[in-house]
Amino acid sequence: MTGIANWNEAVGTDTPSLKRVAADGQRVSDLCDLLEAMADDLPKVAPAVWKEARRLSLTLLPEHLDDMAQVLLPVLARRAGSDLTCAQMLARLQLDYEDGSLHLTELSDMLADGAVSGGRAMSSDALGYALRGFFEPLRRQMDWEKDVLLPLATRCLTADDLTEIARRMGNPSRRARTPIPNVRGSGRA
């Protein structure tokens, strides 16, 4: 199965609250790309790149994981009603989002150490392995979100559900939408 090519294809044209989820999902995917580029470029990653990755891991990731776990999934679960398979799928995904939140402190600490030491606090191999251990599962989660969860939400949620999601997630422009830096070739020390 090939996935949906881009995040905009995952949601309908008339769903601003889901477009916001898709935009945040794209930014999380971009952060995964940044972490991968950092892992590939070790030990030559500039301190500013470490700091920016840490900032994003402390802002973007918790907000997105919380929006999914506390807003979108419960609304979808309510809509699923008595569909046991859908309810089990959403409950499992809820655990995945909560598990991802538990690893954010470890990632943040690793990125802070990298910013201070230039990634030399541990071996490049160990640090690259640790970064991959975070972004690879997160990237799979984002792909599943894009390929399955958002199309399901687009098909199943009502206008009232979408209004509730928009209200609970707050103002779509409340978050800074700074681009994720590209470390390949430009972020080296």
Side-chain angles (χ1 to χ4, degrees):
M1 172 184 148
T2 58
I4 294 174
N6 67 56
W7 284 87
N8 290 328
E9 291 179 27
V11 296
T13 58
D14 222 11
T15 55
S17 55
L18 295 182
K19 282 184 180 278
R20 169 163 162 211
V21 172
D24 286 349
Q26 177 63 62
R27 293 187 74 231
V28 171
S29 293
D30 292 345
L31 177 58
C32 289
D33 293 344
L34 173 64
L35 295 173
E36 180 178 24
M38 291 171 67
D40 290 346
D41 288 350
L42 289 169
K44 299 175 184 172
V45 178
V49 175
W50 287 101
K51 288 176 185 171
E52 181 63 7
R54 182 170 188 263
R55 184 189 69 77
L56 291 166
S57 75
L58 290 172
T59 56
L60 174 64
L61 286 177
E63 290 170 349
H64 183 71
L65 295 174
D66 187 61
D67 282 349
M68 298 304 291
Q70 302 302 318
V71 181
L72 184 62
L73 291 178
V75 173
L76 266 173
R78 188 179 65 230
R79 182 62 47 211
S82 62
D83 183 333
L84 184 60
T85 302
C86 192
Q88 289 172 329
M89 175 188 69
L90 293 170
R92 172 58 197 196
L93 190 57
Q94 180 88 21
L95 291 174
D96 289 345
Y97 281 106
E98 291 169 1
D99 186 51
S101 294
L102 295 175
H103 297 289
L104 290 177
T105 301
E106 294 169 23
L107 176 65
S108 174
D109 290 347
M110 182 176 31
L111 295 171
D113 290 344
V116 170
S117 71
R120 291 172 183 80
M122 55 193 313
S123 77
S124 292
D125 288 342
L127 189 52
Y129 182 81
L131 285 170
R132 286 183 195 338
F134 184 81
F135 75 75
E136 287 176 350
L138 182 60
R139 182 178 283 150
R140 282 192 300 274
Q141 188 173 348
M142 292 298 98
D143 287 345
W144 199 87
E145 191 176 297
K146 176 182 64 167
D147 295 341
V148 177
L149 190 63
L150 286 175
L152 176 69
T154 299
R155 283 192 301 279
C156 296
L157 297 178
T158 66
D160 287 344
D161 294 333
L162 295 171
T163 299
E164 177 185 348
I165 289 168
R167 179 186 53 77
R168 290 179 61 191
M169 286 185 181
N171 182 345
S173 63
R174 74 182 161 109
R175 297 185 190 150
R177 301 280 192 224
T178 56
I180 308 298
N182 181 352
V183 71
R184 295 191 194 275
S186 62
R188 294 177 181 229

